[in-house]
Amino acid sequence: MALDVRKNEPTDTLAGLDALELAGATARPSPLTRVWSAAWPMLAAIGIALLFWQAVVWSGWKDPWVLPGPAETLPIFFDQITSGSFWAAVGLTMQRALVGFAVSVAIGVLVGALVSRFMVLRRAFGSLITGLQTMPSIAWFPLAILLFQLSEKAILFVVVLGAAPSIANGLIAGVDYTPPILLRAGKVMGLRGINLYRHLIMPASLPSFVAGLKQGWAFAWRSLMAGELLVIIGDTTSLGVLLSHARELNNTADMISYMIVILVIGIMIDQLFGVVDRAIRTRWGLD
């Protein structure tokens, strides 16, 4: 009697595909390989930037005292990062940044949730939020100084106005792009009000919300640097104050060193947001 093997073909095909997928999943690179694959593009970019910097210096476009090269600047940079007073200035700047960003997140989430939930608020304040997001942060400082004088509140005021609109817009965009079928399913399951946001809308809008947080941090960091250059409070020393003093003394090597530190901090925070983004993509099966 002949055996009909065709009825087993779909099962055999699925089993073969599962075996291939599992084989690919087990063939993971070593930790050292993963670290190197992540590090070498950044190292190459740093090398290219240093070569371009040195080429500009060699071109004679500016005098060496105006634009020193890497050989003159990097030793000063390494001396600075071993100084306790320098790290005290970095600590004050990061404290201001974290406090301002935390307040911005709280306000941005509240405003974004309300505007995305109520159509009347969307029509009233939707365009205003976008307008605040596009407004240069430095334009707020005259008003901030008039309201709060030269104080921490003036800096916090501008940082929040720079970051909160981006965070609110990120949440609004995430809510707008939540699939309607998910909302209907949630309502069928009895989710209403805060529970609907907590268990369905917030998780569904998480990718856009994280993008808004990342953009909000960028605006907060830029606003803070502008604030520390303009608002010098007593004898406090921050990265902005060090940068301003180096400019007043025409000490370009120190000034570039502080700019490198500001850039490195921005890159490190961006990497943290990248870790969160990759975790979300992995959880959603997109990575």
Side-chain angles (χ1 to χ4, degrees):
M1 181 177 63
L3 179 63
D4 187 3
V5 299
R6 288 180 295 178
K7 62 181 180 181
N8 294 326
E9 287 180 358
T11 303
D12 294 341
T13 302
L14 291 175
L17 291 175
D18 289 341
L20 288 173
E21 184 177 358
L22 291 174
T26 55
R28 294 180 178 178
S30 64
L32 184 61
T33 302
R34 292 199 299 270
V35 170
W36 172 246
S37 64
W40 79 260
M42 290 187 290
L43 295 175
I46 292 172
I48 293 172
L50 291 175
L51 286 175
F52 178 77
W53 180 6
Q54 187 61 58
V56 172
V57 174
W58 282 337
S59 69
W61 177 55
K62 294 292 182 180
D63 293 330
W65 66 270
V66 176
L67 181 64
E72 294 78 23
T73 305
L74 292 181
I76 295 177
F77 168 76
F78 290 117
D79 287 341
Q80 288 173 346
I81 63 176
T82 59
S83 170
S85 59
F86 170 78
W87 287 109
V90 173
L92 177 59
T93 297
M94 291 305 300
Q95 177 184 347
R96 290 171 172 171
L98 294 176
V99 171
F101 186 65
V103 175
S104 301
V105 171
I107 295 176
V109 169
L110 178 61
V111 172
L114 292 175
V115 170
S116 61
R117 182 71 175 85
F118 300 103
M119 187 56 64
V120 174
L121 295 179
R122 171 75 65 93
R123 292 170 181 169
F125 298 107
S127 299
L128 177 61
I129 294 173
T130 302
L132 290 175
Q133 181 180 353
T134 58
M135 189 169 178
S137 299
I138 198 169
W140 289 105
F141 274 102
L143 176 61
I145 294 173
L146 284 175
L147 293 175
F148 304 105
Q149 288 75 48
L150 298 178
S151 65
E152 297 286 347
K153 293 180 181 179
I155 297 177
L156 180 63
F157 176 77
V158 177
V159 170
V160 171
L161 283 176
S166 298
I167 298 171
N169 272 337
L171 181 57
I172 293 170
V175 173
D176 287 346
Y177 284 94
T178 301
I181 191 172
L182 289 181
L183 297 176
R184 290 196 295 268
K187 292 178 181 178
V188 169
M189 296 174 64
L191 295 177
R192 296 289 189 277
I194 296 178
N195 287 330
L196 181 65
Y197 269 87
R198 177 184 175 187
H199 297 290
L200 194 149
I201 295 178
M202 286 298 295
S205 62
L206 199 56
S208 294
F209 180 53
V210 171
L213 288 175
K214 184 176 180 180
Q215 189 179 50
W217 168 261
F219 279 105
W221 189 240
R222 285 164 42 180
S223 301
L224 177 61
M225 289 300 102
E228 290 189 342
L229 286 171
L230 295 175
V231 181
I232 299 177
I233 305 168
D235 58 352
T236 58
T237 302
S238 61
L239 277 176
V241 172
L242 293 176
L243 189 62
S244 179
H245 288 171
R247 177 189 59 82
E248 292 173 355
L249 297 174
N250 291 327
N251 196 337
T252 311
D254 282 1
M255 186 170 61
I256 294 176
S257 299
Y258 300 136
M259 293 170 62
I260 292 173
V261 172
I262 294 170
L263 176 64
V264 169
I265 292 174
I267 292 173
M268 291 173 62
I269 300 298
D270 179 75
Q271 292 297 313
L272 291 178
F273 279 110
V275 171
V276 175
D277 183 67
R278 286 191 295 272
I280 294 173
R281 292 175 59 85
T282 301
R283 184 177 180 84
W284 285 30
L286 300 174
D287 209 359

